[in-house]
Amino acid sequence: MKYSWEELEMLADILAAEAEGRPVDRKEAGRLADRLSQNCPDIRRTMDMVKKRMVA
């Protein structure tokens, strides 16, 4: 499995900011989740949930 640690960290920062109530770039979060779901099949289901949340 090929992980992109930088992209995982970026998405984690966005999700943490959202949890704190700060404004986030939802398009970027969705883009990162999409890319991670393609590159890391083991976390695809979780990334699909993130993508759905970011378009809601």
Side-chain angles (χ1 to χ4, degrees), residues 1-20:
M1 178 180 319
K2 180 180 172 185
Y3 284 106
S4 171
W5 296 112
E6 182 179 343
E7 289 175 325
L8 283 168
E9 288 177 10
M10 290 169 61
L11 183 57
D13 290 343
I14 291 171
L15 295 174
E18 182 190 34
E20 294 170 0

Side-chain angles (χ1 to χ4, degrees), residues 1 4-5 11 17 19 24 26-27 32 34 36 39 41 54 56:
M1 178 180 319
S4 171
W5 296 112
L11 183 57
V24 297
R26 298 176 81 74
K27 284 185 180 182
L32 287 166
D34 186 51
L36 288 165
N39 292 338
M54 291 302 148

